[in-house]
């Protein structure tokens, strides 16, 4: 499929596909077409057996500097309801394969919310992360108040949401919002290396493990433990489990097929 506002590189590395947001003139502002293209690409990649890990990035200047304000400036509340502005975001959230965000520069508003939809995050030292919607008379609407609070805690989330303050990559790392911070010239390379490491593991186990971790945010401990146990048992229905344990016993590297 041909896209206008994203580029998809399925040959980034073996079993790894790179998606790049591609509206550089607008600092990768997330308009509705871009989000529709992104959700469509992720749906296709999720169904592709040759893809095990997805890396999502922008450019050095901006991962995404927020939503496209021009699309919303004159909208009414009914317009926003009828547009179902965030329906595509639900499709992104439901992607079963791991998504690694490689972010640099501005990671603001919807850009921060998109980053938080990813499973692992590599940030460049230049990243500036924030939810500045309050400064234009609105508030986060694509998960910013919920995911940010779960990631960094009430105190910092309140500060960022109520004042619109940007935090640095190092602050984000200390707060647990990102996984790694590297020099700007290495942030994408680091994400791709991490993706390749995960892509060598069992796709079955990776999907089930991702589901279990995410479930921890939505259920009680008892319910989460039940899902974890179920997914653990499901691993034993896979050829990958047999190969992985046999390779361990034989002291060799396993060759996982995703079956």
């Amino acid at each position: 499929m041909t896209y206008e506002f994203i580029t998809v590189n399925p040959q980034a590395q073996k079993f790894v596909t790179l998606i790049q947001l591609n509206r550089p003139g607008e600092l990768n502002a997330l308009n509705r077409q871009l989000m529709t293209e992104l959700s469509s690409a992720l749906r296709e990649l999720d169904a592709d057996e040759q893809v095990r890990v997805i890396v999502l990035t922008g450019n050095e200047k901006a991962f995404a500097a927020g939503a496209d304000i021009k699309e919303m400036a004159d909208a009414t509340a009914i317009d926003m309801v009828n547009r179902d502005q965030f329906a595509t975001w639900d499709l992104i959230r439901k992607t079963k394969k791991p998504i690694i965000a490689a972010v640099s520069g501005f990671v603001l508003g919807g850009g921060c919310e998109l980053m938080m939809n990813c499973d692992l995050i590599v940030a460049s030292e230049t990243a500036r992360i924030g939810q500045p919607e309050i400064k234009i008379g609105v508030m986060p609407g694509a998960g910013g108040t919920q995911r940010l609070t779960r990631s960094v805690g009430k105190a910092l989330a309140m500060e960022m949401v109520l004042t619109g303050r940007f935090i640095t990559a190092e602050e984000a790392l200390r707060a647990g919002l990102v996984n790694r911070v590297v020099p700007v010239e290495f942030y994408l390379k680091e994400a791709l290396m991490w993706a390749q490491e995960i892509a060598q593991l069992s796709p079955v186990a990776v999907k089930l493990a991702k589901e279990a971790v995410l479930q921890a945010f939505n259920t009680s401990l008892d319910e989460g433990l039940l899902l974890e146990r179920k997914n653990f048992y499901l691993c034993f229905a896979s050829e990958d489990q047999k190969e992985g344990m046999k390779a361990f016993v034989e002291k060799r590297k396993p060759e996982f097929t995703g079956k």
Side-chain angles (χ1 to χ4, degrees), residues 157-242:
M158 279 291 191
E159 180 180 348
M160 292 173 68
V161 170
L162 296 187
T163 72
R165 181 174 82 84
F166 303 170
I167 63 172
T168 66
E170 286 297 335
E171 285 180 283
L173 181 64
R174 290 195 299 269
L177 184 57
V178 305
N179 297 89
R180 298 178 182 178
V181 176
V182 298
V184 64
E185 59 267 31
F186 298 122
Y187 79 99
L188 181 54
K189 181 179 180 180
E190 182 79 8
L192 288 168
M193 288 175 58
W194 209 358
Q196 188 59 51
E197 178 183 345
I198 295 171
Q200 301 308 306
L201 305 175
S202 163
V204 176
V206 167
K207 286 181 185 178
L208 292 172
K210 170 179 172 173
E211 179 189 25
V213 171
L214 291 178
Q215 193 72 2
F217 292 97
N218 299 320
T219 64
S220 67
L221 176 60
D222 284 346
E223 291 173 317
L225 288 171
L226 285 174
L227 176 73
E228 178 189 79
R229 191 169 304 167
K230 181 201 75 173
N231 283 10
F232 175 77
Y233 294 154
L234 278 175
C235 289
F236 284 77
S238 71
E239 294 176 12
D240 279 353
Q241 175 268 327
K242 302 298 184 294

Side-chain angles (χ1 to χ4, degrees), residues 118-187:
C118 298
D119 303 300
L120 298 165
I121 302 165
V122 177
S124 86
E125 292 175 334
T126 67
R128 295 295 178 268
I129 301 168
Q131 298 284 171
E133 292 91 340
I134 203 77
K135 293 185 176 182
I136 58 171
V138 290
M139 58 171 281
T145 63
Q146 303 303 301
R147 291 191 177 91
L148 188 63
T149 305
R150 284 167 168 78
S151 294
V152 305
K154 175 187 173 183
L156 183 54
M158 279 291 191
E159 180 180 348
M160 292 173 68
V161 170
L162 296 187
T163 72
R165 181 174 82 84
F166 303 170
I167 63 172
T168 66
E170 286 297 335
E171 285 180 283
L173 181 64
R174 290 195 299 269
L177 184 57
V178 305
N179 297 89
R180 298 178 182 178
V181 176
V182 298
V184 64
E185 59 267 31
F186 298 122
Y187 79 99

Side-chain angles (χ1 to χ4, degrees), residues 20-149:
Q20 184 171 20
L21 308 181
N22 190 30
R23 296 188 76 206
E26 294 78 19
L27 297 177
N28 292 328
L30 305 175
N31 64 6
R32 283 181 289 163
Q33 182 178 338
L34 185 153
M35 294 306 299
T36 298
E37 290 178 2
L38 178 59
S39 61
S40 176
L42 288 172
R43 185 166 55 249
E44 289 185 13
L45 295 174
D46 219 18
D48 187 342
E49 293 184 357
Q50 295 305 307
V51 178
R52 297 183 180 180
V53 184
I54 300 160
V55 175
L56 178 63
T57 194
N59 55 52
E60 288 187 9
K61 191 173 182 179
F63 174 66
D68 192 329
I69 304 303
K70 293 178 182 178
E71 281 192 338
M72 297 186 286
D74 297 323
T76 67
I78 300 304
D79 290 335
M80 297 301 287
V81 169
N82 289 338
R83 289 176 187 174
D84 200 4
Q85 182 86 4
F86 302 118
T88 52
W89 292 73
D90 293 333
L91 297 175
I92 296 169
R93 178 177 57 83
K94 293 175 182 178
T95 302
K96 295 178 181 178
K97 294 175 181 175
I99 305 173
I100 301 177
V103 305
S104 183
F106 296 117
V107 190
L108 306 177
C112 182
E113 291 168 315
L114 178 58
M115 176 191 77
M116 290 189 292
N117 267 276
C118 298
D119 303 300
L120 298 165
I121 302 165
V122 177
S124 86
E125 292 175 334
T126 67
R128 295 295 178 268
I129 301 168
Q131 298 284 171
E133 292 91 340
I134 203 77
K135 293 185 176 182
I136 58 171
V138 290
M139 58 171 281
T145 63
Q146 303 303 301
R147 291 191 177 91
L148 188 63
T149 305

